[in-house]
Amino acid sequence: MILELDCGNSFIKWRVLNPAVDNSVQASGVVSEVDYLLSELISLSSIKISKCRLVSVRGDNETKLLAGVIANSLGIEVVSAVSSRELGGVINGYKDFERLGLDRWLALVGAYQLCSGPCVVIDLGTAVTIDLVGSGGEHLGGYITPGMSLLTEQLRTHTKRILYDAQEAQAALSDTSPGRSTSEALERGCLMMLRGYIDSQIDSAAQYLGTQPEIFVTGGDAALFGSGRQVRRVPDLVFKGLAIACPL
C-alpha cells in the first residue's frame, strides 16, 4: 500500500492507495498534527503500508522532521516531491522556479495531465491561488489572495465588536441574500467578493491563453464556489501531480 501526504500550512491531508487494485483509495483523512496522523495510520491494522510519498509547503526543517517521524514510525522510505523546471509536460513559469509553492506546482501538473490543453487551476484553501497553463504546457503565472477563512478572520480580529462562533458562520452561508445579522453580512459579503474575483479571473484567462480553457477547482473550500460555470472539481488534484513527481 502507498501512503500519500499533502502537508499544507494548516492541515495534513492523507490517503492510502492500493496499487494492486487500480490505485483505489483504501483510507483517507485530514489531521492537524503528525501525531494524529500516526494514530490514525496505526489504527488501520488491516492495511500494510510499504511506501510513502509526500508534498509539503512547510519549511525544510519541519518537512524533514515530519518525513523522518513517518519513516521511523512505519519503517518505510519516504520520498518527498521537489521543485523542478519542467514536469509532466508543464514548464514552470516562475522566474525562480523553486519559489513556486509545491502544492500549486503539482496541482498544475495534475490538471494538465487530465486535459492535455489550456487550463486554469483554482485552489481554494487558506489562500486562493489561480494559475494559468497554456496549450503547450507553459505556465503563464498566477495570482494569490486570502481565502475565505483569512478574509473573515481578519475582519473579526480587527473589529472588536464582531463576535460569533464557527457554527453561526456556517449557518450564515446557507444563502447569499443580504445579511440580517453581522455574521450573515460578513460571511456572505466575503463569499460574494471571493466569487466575483474568481469569476473575473476566469473571464480574463481566455484572453491570456487565446482560447477558452478548462477550469479545474480544488481545495478545502471548493464547495463554496457556487458559480454556474462549467468546471471540473478534482479534490485530489495535488495528489495526481504528486504521483507524477514521485512514481513508486
Side-chain angles (χ1 to χ4, degrees):
M1 301 288 184
I2 299 174
L3 172 63
E4 294 185 324
L5 302 174
D6 176 5
C7 307
N9 292 303
S10 303
F11 298 100
I12 300 173
K13 294 183 282 291
W14 65 272
R15 69 180 188 178
V16 178
L17 305 180
N18 186 349
V21 189
D22 297 326
N23 285 323
S24 60
V25 178
Q26 303 297 297
S28 63
V30 179
V31 295
S32 58
E33 302 290 343
V34 66
D35 289 342
Y36 298 143
L37 171 65
L38 290 173
S39 178
E40 292 193 9
L41 293 176
I42 291 172
S43 70
L44 304 174
S45 56
S46 61
I47 295 179
K48 175 62 176 177
I49 297 172
S50 59
K51 301 175 182 179
C52 175
R53 56 190 170 212
L54 70 81
V55 55
S56 173
V57 298
R58 304 182 180 193
D60 291 341
N61 290 336
E62 185 178 356
T63 298
K64 289 179 181 178
L65 179 61
L66 190 151
V69 169
I70 296 295
N72 293 331
S73 299
L74 301 181
I76 59 176
E77 180 183 2
V78 178
V79 179
S80 299
V82 296
S83 300
S84 58
R85 174 63 70 186
E86 185 173 352
L87 177 67
V90 181
I91 303 168
N92 195 313
Y94 260 32
K95 297 173 183 177
D96 180 356
F97 72 89
E98 293 181 329
R99 302 283 291 182
L100 177 62
L102 273 172
D103 53 349
R104 283 175 67 192
W105 175 232
L106 296 186
L108 296 179
V109 172
Y112 189 73
Q113 286 289 309
L114 289 175
C115 71
S116 300
C119 58
V120 176
V121 180
I122 303 170
D123 191 336
L124 294 109
T126 303
V128 172
T129 61
I130 300 178
D131 285 280
L132 283 65
V133 180
S135 57
E138 62 279 9
H139 173 220
L140 275 62
Y143 304 91
I144 304 173
T145 63
M148 184 68 179
S149 60
L150 283 180
L151 287 174
T152 57
E153 181 181 338
Q154 284 299 304
L155 276 173
R156 294 169 67 179
T157 299
H158 294 285
T159 308
K160 294 180 179 179
R161 299 192 67 177
I162 295 181
L163 299 172
Y164 58 88
D165 58 23
Q167 186 175 0
E168 191 175 352
Q170 186 63 37
L173 295 174
S174 59
D175 64 63
T176 55
S177 61
R180 300 188 60 152
S181 67
T182 299
S183 61
E184 290 180 351
L186 191 152
E187 295 288 331
R188 294 174 187 179
C190 288
L191 177 59
M192 292 178 71
M193 182 171 67
L194 189 57
R195 286 179 176 174
Y197 162 70
I198 292 171
D199 280 339
S200 70
Q201 292 304 321
I202 292 175
D203 289 337
S204 64
Q207 301 175 19
Y208 286 112
L209 295 169
T211 185
Q212 189 61 46
E214 189 150 6
I215 310 298
F216 290 88
V217 178
T218 191
D221 282 340
L224 296 178
F225 186 78
S227 172
R229 294 176 182 270
Q230 198 71 22
V231 301
R232 290 180 66 174
R233 288 183 172 83
V234 186
D236 61 348
L237 201 52
V238 172
F239 282 137
K240 291 187 182 300
L242 177 60
I244 297 169
C246 303
L248 295 176

